[in-house]
Amino acid sequence: NAGVMQNPRHLVRRRGQEARLRCSPMKGHSHVYWYRQLPEEGLKFMVYLQKENIIDESGMPKERFSAEFPKEGPSILRIQQVVRGDSAAYFCASSPPGKTGGAYEQYFGPGTRLTVT
Amino acid sequence: DQQVKQNSPSLSVQEGRISILNCDYTNSMFDYFLWYKKYPAEGPTFLISISSIKDKNEDGRFTVFLNKSAKHLSLHIVPSQPGDSAVYFCAASDTGQNFVFGPGTRLSVLP
């Protein structure tokens, strides 16, 4: 019973390169969320996606960052032209569809630690 | 502008005693609240949730209390165990989907 999978676990990029972070949600989950955690800080919401749709991207920086969740395959968080300030842990979470009322408990992956040198 | 606050960055408790972690929020539209535990180098693990129609939810050693008028919730762990040592995050949402996380409280349970 696999949980939320993220890869790679660690990613090192030089300034100006692209970073691609992948997230496979739990089986049966159709909602995916991306969060960023800077050192010594809490998690900051970035984007919420359902299959082929971006539902809420209010936490995404306006430039260089994009996310997708295609019909087939994992969700991808893409950071173009990375800068040192992008160094952080990026967590993906998933939740099941169709719950009426109550909270959508989100189940987190182990995170991808991005280091920009 | 922090919408979810955890004013104690750290807390130490003796094994077997009660741990009380507090969380305050400013947005009166928040209706759903979650607590997570996080170990170093791992993703957060869901612990317990509560919605605004309740003022208490209990699951084993974990109980969450919600005081909507005070915009305050707390997580009680009793009895505390050394394995509970971790960072605890509270999170709040008005939709049940997009959650705002607090900065976390580091709990140390001393044997």
Side-chain angles (χ1 to χ4, degrees):
Chain A
N1 179 21
V4 178
M5 312 276 283
Q6 287 188 252
N7 68 80
R9 294 293 307 275
H10 299 276
L11 182 61
V12 179
R13 284 288 177 265
R14 289 204 177 107
R15 277 181 300 169
Q17 290 185 319
E18 179 180 281
R20 279 192 175 210
L21 289 66
R22 293 175 189 77
C23 170
S24 297
M26 284 180 72
K27 189 175 180 181
H29 287 193
S30 57
H31 300 205
V32 166
Y33 312 80
W34 284 94
Y35 293 84
R36 175 165 65 176
Q37 185 180 28
L38 295 170
E40 304 303 323
E41 291 188 16
L43 293 101
K44 303 290 186 193
F45 167 79
M46 298 181 76
V47 62
Y48 162 38
L49 310 104
Q50 295 179 18
K51 284 282 187 183
E52 299 184 281
N53 281 310
I54 296 174
I55 307 302
D56 182 347
E57 57 181 346
S58 57
M60 287 279 270
K62 293 286 182 277
E63 296 176 349
R64 303 188 296 108
F65 285 72
S66 62
E68 62 178 11
F69 188 17
K71 190 176 179 181
E72 302 290 337
S75 175
I76 307 282
L77 178 69
R78 184 182 293 111
I79 312 171
Q80 295 177 304
Q81 298 177 327
V82 295
V83 300
R84 287 224 172 97
D86 297 332
S87 295
Y90 291 83
F91 291 96
C92 166
S94 71
S95 66
K99 185 171 180 177
T100 302
Y104 288 71
E105 292 95 21
Q106 297 179 13
Y107 296 86
F108 281 80
T112 293
R113 273 142 193 87
L114 172 65
T115 302
V116 179
T117 61
Chain B
D1 176 29
Q2 267 190 332
Q3 295 190 72
V4 178
K5 302 175 186 180
Q6 293 177 258
N7 290 322
S8 298
S10 63
L11 174 68
S12 291
V13 169
Q14 209 67 37
E15 181 179 3
R17 306 294 284 265
I18 185 171
S19 296
I20 300 176
L21 297 111
N22 293 304
C23 180
D24 297 285
Y25 59 95
T26 57
N27 187 341
S28 58
M29 301 298 291
F30 286 152
D31 276 334
Y32 304 101
F33 305 90
L34 308 178
W35 280 96
Y36 284 87
K37 174 171 74 173
K38 186 180 182 301
Y39 294 119
E42 293 184 14
T45 302
F46 169 74
L47 279 176
I48 194 167
S49 65
I50 191 166
S51 68
S52 60
I53 60 174
K54 291 185 168 184
D55 54 18
K56 176 183 173 182
N57 190 22
E58 193 172 347
D59 184 0
R61 296 186 298 114
F62 301 92
T63 303
V64 55
F65 295 91
L66 175 62
N67 182 333
K68 267 212 97 172
S69 60
K71 298 194 187 70
H72 176 84
L73 65 156
S74 60
L75 175 68
H76 292 210
I77 307 172
V78 55
S80 301
Q81 299 172 354
D84 297 328
S85 297
V87 177
Y88 289 78
F89 294 98
C90 73
S93 172
D94 55 353
T95 62
Q97 295 170 352
N98 174 359
F99 281 85
V100 178
F101 279 73
T105 296
R106 184 178 301 277
L107 174 66
S108 300
V109 180
L110 309 172

